[in-house]
Amino acid sequence: MAIRTRISASEITEKVSQLCMDANFNLNEDVLDALRDSYEAEVSPVAKEVFAELLENAKIARECQMPICQDTGVAVVFVEIGEDVEIIGGRLCDAIHEGVREGYKKGFLRKSMVKDPLNRINTGDNTPAIIHTEFTRESHLKITFMAKGGGCENMSRLAMLTPADGKEGVINFVVETVKIAKANPCPPIIAGVGIGGTFDYAALLAKKSLLRPLGTKHIDPDTANLENEMLERINNLGIGAQGLGGWITAMAVHVERYPCHIASLPVAVNIECHAHRVKTVTFVPC
């Protein structure tokens, strides 16, 4: 018999609040390792100095517990909730929004959300969060927070290619997207790529692909090879760290694929900056 997992809304709020601050202050080790590896691999003296500065910046942010970037991002939250999980004392989405509200206030993080995309009045607390929910057979609640900056998000693109465009058309679109972006997304970047599904689902796949730890390859060999080919083509652009030239323009390309309509080939590219800020908390049966 499955153990019923009961989680209080107040505990969720507290954990999300901590995630907001932790993500903005402390880069994960996989990101730091990718920056260190890029520093070692880079041949351009100017770009090498940029990587040294990025690593120093991350160190200062961690030691001083202050934001690694002035753009503390949109709060993007991925939720995995098991069928045996029960939220008590409030609604899950409300608890998450409140956690973002508290975390951005307590951490003195910049509030970047506006109430309406045309009227542009700031909400004052960085809510609402963008929440993606997935129901699973597990008995846990897993919440992953991503602080997504505006500069890199603005450089993202989506195309409805035709099946005739094929693999080469997909690669060309991804590389073209990075080429158009140039220095705007604060390279070195991570390119999240979603292929398949529908117009909306391809974009979600692209963003979700960014949650995979840097330095890991896709479990499907064909997709892993596609990632390698895209990464090589992107780094041959010569944009380099902060757009100052060099070998490393992207630290990684992450691809996710999904079945699609016989007449469609949706492709989305969600670009992420070097300050890749992701943190996760998992609530398990006690």
Side-chain angles (χ1 to χ4, degrees):
M1 181 177 178
I3 301 175
R4 193 72 176 169
T5 305
R6 291 182 172 85
I7 305 167
S8 69
S10 60
E11 185 180 2
I12 293 170
T13 293
E14 179 184 354
K15 294 297 185 182
V16 170
S17 174
Q18 293 172 357
L19 290 179
C20 293
M21 292 181 283
D22 190 20
N24 273 290
F25 300 158
N26 309 300
L27 285 185
N28 289 333
E29 279 302 313
D30 62 318
V31 182
L32 292 171
D33 285 343
L35 287 170
R36 294 184 190 108
D37 291 344
S38 297
Y39 171 83
E40 294 297 332
E42 185 55 71
V43 295
S44 165
V46 173
K48 206 172 184 71
E49 180 62 27
V50 170
F51 280 110
E53 292 292 339
L54 295 179
L55 286 165
E56 179 65 16
N57 186 60
K59 179 183 177 183
I60 293 171
R62 181 181 295 272
E63 290 176 349
C64 299
Q65 288 297 278
M66 59 191 300
I68 192 168
C69 177
Q70 52 83 25
D71 184 350
T72 53
V74 170
V76 181
V77 181
F78 289 87
V79 178
E80 291 181 15
I81 183 168
E83 57 188 16
D84 295 318
V85 173
E86 178 184 356
I87 309 301
I88 57 176
R91 297 175 65 247
L92 175 60
C93 286
D94 291 341
I96 292 172
H97 289 310
E98 183 60 26
V100 171
R101 188 175 292 114
E102 289 183 6
Y104 272 73
K105 179 180 179 181
K106 185 177 180 181
F108 299 98
L109 306 177
R110 195 184 78 180
K111 288 76 175 175
S112 301
M113 292 296 282
V114 295
K115 295 178 182 179
D116 181 270
L118 298 180
N119 295 336
R120 316 301 295 182
I121 299 172
N122 200 296
T123 63
D125 57 14
N126 217 57
T127 64
I130 309 298
I131 303 173
H132 302 287
T133 305
E134 179 181 351
F135 295 94
T136 73
R137 292 176 177 266
E138 304 296 330
S139 298
H140 67 238
L141 171 65
K142 181 179 178 181
I143 298 178
T144 300
F145 169 87
M146 176 190 293
K148 194 67 168 63
C152 55
E153 189 76 356
N154 288 349
M155 295 297 103
S156 302
R157 296 168 76 214
L158 187 147
M160 299 301 293
L161 302 181
T162 67
D165 291 315
K167 175 183 173 182
E168 192 62 24
V170 170
I171 295 174
N172 287 340
F173 177 72
V174 173
V175 176
E176 179 189 58
T177 298
V178 178
K179 185 177 181 180
I180 291 171
K182 296 185 177 68
N184 289 314
C186 293
I189 65 164
I190 306 156
V193 180
I195 307 171
T198 53
F199 176 86
D200 54 319
Y201 200 67
L204 179 58
L205 286 173
K207 180 150 282 159
K208 194 172 182 180
S209 74
L210 296 172
L211 303 183
R212 192 203 315 164
L214 296 189
T216 61
K217 290 298 180 181
H218 202 282
I219 58 173
D220 171 51
D222 188 48
T223 302
N225 289 334
L226 186 59
E227 292 173 338
N228 290 334
E229 188 171 350
M230 289 179 177
L231 181 61
E232 183 177 0
R233 289 269 300 272
I234 288 171
N235 284 333
N236 281 335
L237 291 172
I239 295 170
Q242 297 299 292
L244 297 174
W247 168 242
I248 310 295
T249 296
M251 295 187 291
V253 175
H254 292 175
V255 175
E256 291 297 331
R257 296 154 76 169
Y258 198 81
C260 64
H261 192 279
I262 57 173
S264 297
L265 180 52
V267 183
V269 183
N270 193 215
I271 294 181
E272 173 71 307
C273 67
H274 69 272
H276 181 47
R277 295 158 292 178
V278 175
K279 295 290 180 178
T280 299
V281 64
T282 303
F283 302 83
V284 296
C286 54

